[in-house]
């Protein structure tokens, strides 16, 4: 059966995939360089955002393009949304102070 | 046509370029009008408009006080392969000298004229005289020799702007695959945005063609990181986060994909040209000066201008969200990896890299298709930005050393 919802895996070493449209819980097709033909999504994932391809423990590297793009700040179950709420940059201290939905900084005071 | 057939066709593709007195060959035959202070901007703009010549273009520097970086940029642009002739227009009391720009153009075998608005008797007389100058310069270009060009003769630049998640997955993949084809044929490829290579020091250093290139790359990287740390800001915006990019490292890898896989020959600074074919990194980051860095890249057009100043015949702007700009001097091919953006902004976009995301096209085929587009533009087909009349430019104040990967003075003395 052809699955309508698709996520893209760039490198076989990656532990995250990129949603090519908004994903809803259930099975999605994987394109690019996946090690498996499909994955199971367990929560809603916005268009262009990442989903965990396997369980990722707090403190583990997040890998995309075959390189480290950040670190897990909490345990991330397979199929869940991977973004600012559960991962951080290794260099950019501001990225953990941004609104998870809009990316708007929360560390700037408007008074 | 199969992949081998397309590769052969690319190798054999020949078009007629425009030969210059200094031996360079361009893909366009432009008259460039340059103003040397904001006070001369209006007159210069009217000269371009009233000349009624679509291949006459405007650039200029707005500051009255001159700046070595800006002057280097102006000189590189008046001597660009796509530029056949130059008119420099000054007000008459600024630091930057139009006469010196015209002389530099002449010494590189390009007909050139210059004047001051104050000497000419004001706005109306200057516009009338300037239009006469442009017509005379255009007439000098009637007999420009046509020289055969191939892919190996091309210098191509690339940057991204208005990125979304597709840029790293598709748009930059197309450029990277094309760059591999271009450099394999002996052509020259330039990429920039070292501030969007965060976390990739080792990966870039490993790709250095030799020890000197490795040192230039690592020092340029270290400077960019020191810059980002000192201003406590990385090249990533709320829109990028909203679009799904979680860290600057993630955005960086998506950006560096556009460099392909070829060895990096070295680092060039703004206004310098690669000394030979292959892949080069253009450093546009300010150098530390008087204990500070100054202003970084203000917008996409500044980057495109820096690529043109590196002698790029044509530039590629990868834009997931959809930027609409073009550029003076070097035509801009706009590539998007987002098929929705391609259809929404179809009058502005030149290339849809989206099919690689659905698996409808392989990355290799995507790169060859982009090569085909670049060859068509090099052969004279106008880009979407050229059709629409986009001729943006940006020449800012900045401080930069001429030496790539220079050791900061404070460290030399230590």
């Amino acid at each position: 059966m052809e699955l309508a919802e698709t996520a893209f895996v760039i490198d076989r070493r990656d532990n995250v995939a990129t949603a090519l449209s908004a994903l809803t819980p259930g099975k999605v097709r994987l394109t690019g360089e996946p090690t498996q033909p499909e994955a199971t999504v367990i929560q809603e994932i916005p268009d262009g955002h990442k989903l965990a391809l396997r369980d990722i423990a707090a403190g583990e590297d997040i890998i995309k393009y075959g390189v480290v793009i950040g670190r897990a700040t909490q345990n991330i179950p397979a199929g869940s949304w991977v973004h600012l709420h559960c991962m951080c940059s290794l260099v950019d201290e501001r990225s953990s102070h941004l609104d998870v939905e809009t990316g708007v900084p929360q560390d700037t005071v408007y008074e | 046509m199969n992949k081998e057939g397309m590769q052969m066709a690319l190798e054999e593709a020949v078009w007629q370029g425009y030969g210059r007195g200094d031996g360079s060959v361009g893909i366009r035959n432009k008259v460039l009008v340059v103003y040397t202070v904001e006070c001369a901007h209006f007159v210069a703009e009217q000269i371009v408009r009233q000349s009624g010549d679509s291949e006459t273009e405007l650039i200029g520097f707005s500051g009255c006080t001159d700046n070595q970086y800006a002057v280097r940029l102006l000189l590189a642009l008046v001597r660009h392969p796509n530029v056949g002739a130059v008119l420099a227009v000054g007000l008459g009391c600024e630091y930057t000298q139009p006469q010196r720009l015209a002389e530099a153009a002449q010494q590189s075998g390009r007909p050139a004229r210059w004047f001051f608005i104050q000497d000419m008797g004001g706005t109306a007389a200057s516009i009338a005289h300037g239009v006469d100058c442009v017509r005379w310069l255009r007439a000098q270009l009637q007999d420009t020799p046509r020289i055969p060009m191939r892919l190996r003769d091309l210098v191509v630049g690339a940057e991204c702007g208005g990125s979304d998640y597709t840029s790293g997955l598709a748009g930059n993949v197309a450029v990277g695959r094309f760059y591999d084809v271009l450099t394999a044929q002996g052509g020259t490829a330039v990429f920039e945005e070292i501030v969007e290579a965060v976390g990739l020091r080792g990966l870039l250093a490993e790709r250095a063609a030799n020890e000197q290139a490795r040192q230039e790359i690592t020092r340029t990287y270290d400077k960019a990181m020191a810059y980002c740390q000192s201003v406590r800001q990385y090249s990533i915006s709320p829109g990028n986060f909203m679009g799904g990019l979680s860290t600057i490292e993630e955005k960086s890898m998506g950006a560096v994909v556009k460099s392909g896989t070829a060895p990096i020959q070295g680092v060039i600074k703004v206004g310098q040209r690669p000394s030979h074919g292959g892949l080069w990194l253009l450093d546009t980051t300010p150098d530390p000066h008087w204990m500070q860095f100054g202003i970084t890249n203000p917008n996409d057009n500044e980057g495109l201008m820096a690529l043109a100043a590196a002698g790029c015949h044509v530039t590629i702007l990868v834009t997931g969200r959809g930027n609409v700009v073009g550029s003076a001097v070097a035509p801009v091919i706009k590539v998007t990896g987002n098929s929705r953006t391609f259809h929404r902004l179809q009058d502005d976009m030149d290339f849809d890299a989206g099919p690689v995301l659905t698996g409808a096209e392989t990355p290799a085929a995507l790169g060859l298709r982009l090569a085909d587009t670049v060859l068509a533009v090099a052969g004279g087909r106008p880009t979407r930005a050229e059709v629409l009349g986009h001729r943006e430019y940006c020449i800012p104040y900045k401080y930069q050393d001429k030496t790539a990967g220079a050791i900061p003075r404070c460290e030399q003395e230590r």
Side-chain angles (χ1 to χ4, degrees):
Chain A
M1 187 191 77
E2 183 79 357
L3 294 163
E5 293 181 358
T6 308
F8 193 88
V9 184
I10 299 162
D11 190 288
R12 298 182 77 79
R13 292 166 289 184
D14 293 357
N15 55 16
V16 291
T18 305
L20 295 186
S21 64
L23 304 181
T24 47
K27 288 206 184 310
V28 293
R29 184 169 75 101
L30 297 178
T31 58
E33 297 284 329
T35 55
Q36 64 217 48
E38 55 187 53
T40 304
V41 172
I42 60 167
Q43 68 183 120
E44 295 205 339
I45 295 171
D47 180 21
H49 286 237
K50 293 176 289 301
L51 74 111
L53 288 171
R54 57 173 177 78
D55 291 336
I56 303 169
E60 242 191 284
D61 291 335
I62 307 294
I63 300 175
K64 183 179 170 183
Y65 300 97
V67 301
V68 177
I69 62 156
R71 183 173 295 146
T73 53
Q74 61 188 60
N75 291 330
I76 306 171
S80 59
W81 181 31
V82 181
H83 198 35
L84 306 170
H85 60 289
C86 62
M87 69 173 287
C88 67
S89 166
L90 302 186
V91 292
D92 181 3
E93 69 215 58
R94 279 198 95 176
S95 71
S96 47
H97 297 279
L98 302 167
D99 184 87
V100 69
E101 299 275 342
T102 63
V104 169
Q106 305 294 296
D107 57 347
T108 305
V109 182
Y110 289 75
E111 59 182 15
Chain B
M1 202 186 296
N2 65 14
K3 195 180 148 192
E4 285 71 28
M6 273 186 87
Q7 199 117 25
M8 284 283 284
L10 290 175
E11 274 174 51
E12 285 163 15
V14 175
W15 68 95
Q16 300 298 313
Y18 299 91
R20 308 298 173 204
D22 59 3
S24 66
V25 185
I27 61 164
R28 297 287 186 273
N29 204 20
K30 295 175 189 289
V31 174
L32 194 63
V33 178
V34 188
Y35 62 88
T36 48
V37 64
E38 183 60 20
C39 318
H41 184 164
F42 175 79
V43 166
E45 192 172 41
Q46 288 300 313
I47 292 168
V48 171
R49 190 167 297 168
Q50 294 183 24
S51 72
D53 178 65
S54 64
E55 282 296 276
T56 292
E57 292 182 351
L58 182 72
I59 64 165
F61 180 60
S62 62
C64 180
T65 311
D66 61 358
N67 173 255
Q68 189 61 61
Y69 171 92
V71 167
R72 223 179 274 151
L73 199 44
L74 290 172
L75 285 169
L77 295 168
V78 301
R79 296 190 282 229
H80 190 279
N82 292 351
V83 172
V86 173
L87 169 64
V89 181
L91 174 65
C93 40
E94 66 271 36
Y95 277 79
T96 307
Q97 296 299 304
Q99 182 177 0
R100 300 293 297 275
L101 297 177
E103 285 169 2
Q106 281 164 347
Q107 281 157 17
S108 71
R110 290 162 175 80
R113 304 283 294 270
W114 74 275
F115 67 87
F116 280 130
I117 294 166
Q118 289 167 350
D119 294 342
M120 206 49 61
T123 300
S126 293
I127 294 169
H129 179 63
V131 170
D132 285 346
C133 288
V134 167
R135 293 204 175 123
W136 182 82
L137 291 166
R138 176 55 66 197
Q140 307 305 302
L141 296 181
Q142 286 312 313
D143 302 320
T144 305
R146 303 304 300 267
I147 312 275
M149 287 182 88
R150 289 171 181 271
L151 195 56
R152 62 170 179 256
D153 302 313
L154 266 189
V155 185
V156 181
E159 66 160 16
C160 9
S163 299
D164 67 6
Y165 72 90
T166 68
S167 298
L169 267 54
N172 287 335
V173 172
V175 177
R177 293 295 181 137
F178 163 61
Y179 269 14
D180 285 350
V181 172
L182 175 67
T183 52
Q185 305 256 328
T188 309
V190 184
F191 72 109
E192 60 134 350
E193 297 170 305
I194 188 71
V195 291
E196 291 179 15
V198 171
L200 304 174
R201 187 183 195 269
L203 191 136
L204 287 173
E206 269 172 31
R207 289 178 54 194
N210 52 53
E211 178 55 24
Q212 192 191 334
R214 197 190 65 79
Q215 284 198 8
E216 288 175 3
I217 291 164
T218 51
R219 286 185 187 148
T220 302
Y221 177 90
D222 292 344
K223 179 187 77 169
M225 283 300 283
Y227 173 82
C228 292
Q229 281 158 2
S230 74
V231 299
R232 200 173 156 262
Q233 185 65 59
Y234 293 82
S235 184
I236 186 158
S237 69
N240 293 146
F241 288 115
M242 194 167 61
L245 297 175
S246 301
T247 64
I248 180 64
E249 296 98 306
E250 180 178 7
K251 182 174 174 181
S252 292
M253 193 58 207
V256 167
V257 163
K258 70 174 167 297
S259 67
T261 58
I264 301 168
Q265 303 297 317
V267 178
I268 54 170
K269 303 297 279 281
V270 174
Q272 297 172 347
R273 293 189 190 169
S275 56
H276 57 267
L279 178 70
W280 294 80
L281 173 61
L282 170 63
D283 175 21
T284 63
T285 314
D287 282 305
H289 185 56
W290 297 108
M291 306 297 289
Q292 60 188 8
F293 279 102
I295 319 149
T296 183
N297 304 351
N299 55 50
D300 289 342
N301 273 106
E302 192 249 9
L304 293 169
M305 197 97 283
L307 289 169
C312 295
H313 293 98
V314 59
T315 61
I316 302 169
L317 178 61
V318 178
T319 177
R321 294 172 70 88
N323 194 342
V324 300
V325 298
S327 178
V329 180
V332 181
I333 295 170
K334 289 199 290 292
V335 170
T336 184
N338 189 327
S339 296
R340 280 163 287 187
T341 298
F342 184 81
H343 291 294
R344 198 168 59 245
L345 279 71
Q346 55 185 336
D347 285 348
D348 288 286
M349 294 296 138
D350 293 279
F351 189 89
D352 180 12
V356 78
L357 291 177
T358 57
E361 192 172 24
T362 66
L366 182 74
L368 291 173
R369 184 159 64 85
L370 180 57
D372 223 37
T373 301
V374 173
L375 284 178
V377 169
R381 189 177 86 193
T383 62
R384 294 307 308 159
E386 285 180 293
V387 168
L388 291 164
H390 279 285
R391 299 288 191 279
E392 288 88 342
Y393 59 91
C394 179
I395 297 169
Y397 279 108
K398 198 183 272 191
Y399 175 80
Q400 241 195 8
D401 287 333
K402 279 172 91 170
T403 315
I407 301 169
R409 204 168 300 163
C410 52
E411 285 182 26
Q412 290 172 23
E413 287 162 6
R414 204 178 286 161

